[in-house]
Amino acid sequence: MHRLRNTILTLTALAVLSLAHAQTLEVWDWWTQGKKNEVAEQLNAEFEERNPGVTIERTSRPLDDLKVTVKLALGSGEGPDVPMVNQGAPDMGEMVQGGLIRPLDAYAEQYGWLDLHSERLFERKRWTEDGDFGRGDLYGVSPEIFVVGVYYNRAHFEEAGIDVPETFEEFQANLEALDEAGITPITFGNSDGWPAIHLYGAVQHLFVELDYLSDLIYGRGGSWVTDGNLRAAEIVRDWVESGYLSDGYAGLSYDDSWAAFARGEGAMMITGSEVADLFADNPDIGFFAMPPLEENTGTTPLHIVGTGIPFSISASTAHPDLAAAYIDWMMSERAAEAWMAADVVPALPIDEAMLEPGSLQADIHDVWTRIDEAGATGFYLDWATPSFYDTITAGLQRLLAGRIDAQQFVEDLDRDYQDYLASRD
């Protein structure tokens, strides 16, 4: 069925593009490194080959740079036809309210995008024009699955005499065992600020319920001052005090941290599946989901899950149909095969026979499947308000450095959140 769908849609796209001679489509993405960059180049070249006269003018930027430049470029009436726009209030939400990107619902129906994965993931890219998150029109589509979990080095686990933990209490015991064995338990670099959101969020999701978190992230009310949020902050602060994070983590960049982990430095790294391709050449590296609290053994706790940075279409593009056809190509069966070959788990139906048993990609796919089937799809916390990314990154830096305690941290988050709610009344 999926193969038939893509055959039909390829013909549809070709029919559209046969009218589009000598057109240039400007695309901005965030695939700056490694295999993902190679796949993007390959797929763009194939799109041009299939559609004579169409040229893809591609710009690739790191995410932090992309977040700033896309908004500025579109706000000036220029910029790309097809930008990747980060989800959440600070980015997609502000661009929707500013009229900078266009709804994709008609194209989603035309191309069948809503059949590719669950509505739970599409609703994270839905906004109303007056700023309601999680409902309204669709403004983005992504070919990747992101899930934040725990990469681990099997050789270091064996050296320390530990196994993949089944409970969070076992995970905590593993940290101590690794430290006693002289192995850095968690490779971590936070000079960029945002990696601490993954570190904290992966623990925080164990202590909260989906309805509470959905209301919080979608701006429907609630408070950040809860026992669960407080307990998670205390735990990550304890990790610092116990020496479980990389030495000098505050001055270590994210790129330096994953490169160190890929070389075998450190036993675990808590981050997203989007960097799996960077670890695929190290056969010792596997992936597991943060395990549940002992009291919840046998259940699947919430995890930070989403699709990758989605493609949107500029409101000012002169080529909206061409832009939609391009996005559909990046969501096609051919694209899924290319992403799979690059050790990426696509947000598309795949042939599981393509997964090599015991591979890192198979580990991630298994984790993703269990989370999705359990409905345990949590959120990136920085989506909560337009200013929340700055608030939580700064707060986590102060918390980890011991400049504020856990109570002050959650109170600072809540102050930002309550101010946002008040501004919408």
Side-chain angles (χ1 to χ4, degrees):
M1 182 65 181
H2 186 52
R3 184 176 300 275
L4 177 61
R5 170 195 174 271
N6 280 281
T7 300
I8 294 171
L9 294 184
T10 299
L11 293 174
T12 302
L14 289 172
V16 170
L17 298 180
S18 65
L19 304 176
H21 298 294
Q23 293 191 15
T24 297
L25 195 71
E26 189 173 356
V27 178
W28 287 11
D29 65 48
W30 80 299
W31 295 314
T32 60
Q33 297 175 331
K35 296 179 181 179
K36 290 185 180 181
N37 177 63
E38 294 171 5
V39 169
E41 289 291 321
Q42 177 183 353
L43 291 175
N44 283 353
E46 291 180 16
F47 186 79
E48 291 175 337
E49 289 173 5
R50 290 166 178 257
N51 301 286
V54 174
T55 300
I56 302 300
E57 187 176 293
R58 177 182 177 233
T59 300
S60 184
R61 302 175 185 272
L63 181 56
D64 283 346
D65 186 14
L66 185 68
K67 282 161 59 73
V68 174
T69 55
V70 165
K71 194 180 299 184
L72 290 174
L74 296 184
S76 70
E78 300 179 354
D81 303 284
V82 182
M84 276 189 158
V85 176
N86 196 32
Q87 299 160 70
D91 299 291
M92 185 174 285
E94 289 197 346
M95 292 190 207
V96 169
Q97 292 180 76
L100 302 182
I101 53 179
R102 65 175 58 213
L104 304 182
D105 300 86
Y107 292 124
E109 182 175 355
Q110 175 184 347
Y111 288 113
W113 295 336
L114 298 183
D115 297 329
L116 296 177
H117 50 257
S118 71
E119 175 58 25
R120 288 193 305 275
L121 297 181
F122 280 111
E123 71 181 14
R124 290 122 190 268
K125 297 173 281 289
R126 292 191 180 278
W127 286 86
T128 64
E129 290 183 358
D130 57 357
D132 278 352
F133 187 17
R135 56 170 66 100
D137 293 327
L138 181 71
Y139 285 91
V141 183
S142 172
E144 295 179 84
I145 285 294
F146 283 3
V147 53
V148 173
V150 186
Y151 294 93
Y152 73 106
N153 187 300
R154 296 182 180 91
H156 289 326
F157 270 41
E158 183 176 352
E159 182 181 349
I162 59 176
D163 298 315
V164 172
E166 295 184 4
T167 68
F168 185 68
E169 287 76 7
E170 290 179 8
F171 179 87
Q172 293 276 66
N174 282 357
L175 295 177
E176 183 177 356
L178 289 161
D179 187 54
E180 290 176 353
I183 303 167
T184 300
I186 300 175
T187 301
F188 179 62
N190 198 47
S191 66
D192 305 278
W194 63 264
I197 302 175
H198 288 180
L199 190 77
Y200 171 72
V203 179
Q204 181 258 4
H205 274 56
L206 303 178
F207 293 93
V208 297
E209 300 293 332
L210 182 58
D211 287 347
Y212 159 79
L213 193 58
S214 297
D215 286 346
L216 206 65
I217 299 301
Y218 288 146
R220 298 169 188 164
S223 171
W224 286 87
V225 184
T226 67
D227 291 342
N229 292 338
L230 182 65
R231 180 67 184 125
E234 291 170 341
I235 287 170
V236 295
R237 176 59 197 158
D238 287 346
W239 290 351
V240 175
E241 293 180 346
S242 298
Y244 292 159
L245 306 182
S246 299
D247 290 340
Y249 71 85
L252 188 68
S253 73
Y254 182 70
D255 285 353
D256 287 340
S257 67
W258 67 250
F261 186 73
R263 292 192 302 268
E265 299 177 19
M268 291 183 284
M269 188 169 182
I270 300 172
T271 191
S273 58
E274 62 268 25
V275 292
D277 61 305
L278 304 174
F279 301 144
D281 293 334
N282 186 336
D284 283 333
I285 295 179
F287 187 84
F288 63 86
M290 186 66 78
L293 300 172
E294 192 170 61
E295 64 196 63
N296 297 325
T297 300
T299 66
T300 301
L302 292 183
H303 287 77
I304 303 172
V305 168
T307 54
I309 311 304
F311 286 113
S312 296
I313 297 179
S314 167
S316 61
T317 180
H319 314 297
D321 292 342
L322 178 60
Y326 172 81
I327 292 174
D328 187 63
W329 168 246
M330 300 301 281
M331 301 293 293
S332 67
E333 182 177 300
R334 164 64 192 131
E337 292 173 352
W339 293 122
M340 289 284 289
D343 301 299
V344 173
V345 176
L348 311 165
I350 63 170
D351 181 358
E352 295 191 10
M354 296 176 64
L355 294 166
E356 180 183 347
S359 67
L360 178 58
Q361 190 179 42
D363 282 356
I364 293 171
H365 183 266
D366 178 63
V367 167
W368 153 245
T369 300
R370 287 190 286 114
I371 292 169
D372 187 44
E373 289 176 351
T377 49
F379 297 86
Y380 290 89
L381 301 180
D382 54 291
W383 292 350
T385 81
S387 55
F388 210 75
Y389 176 85
D390 292 335
T391 298
I392 194 170
T393 53
L396 284 166
Q397 286 176 323
R398 292 195 297 269
L399 173 72
L400 297 180
R403 295 199 297 270
I404 60 174
D405 62 13
Q407 183 68 36
Q408 185 64 57
F409 169 70
V410 296
E411 289 178 358
D412 288 347
L413 298 187
D414 198 55
R415 185 176 303 108
D416 180 299
Y417 188 68
Q418 301 306 328
D419 287 348
Y420 172 63
L421 294 182
S423 72
R424 298 177 59 203
D425 290 340

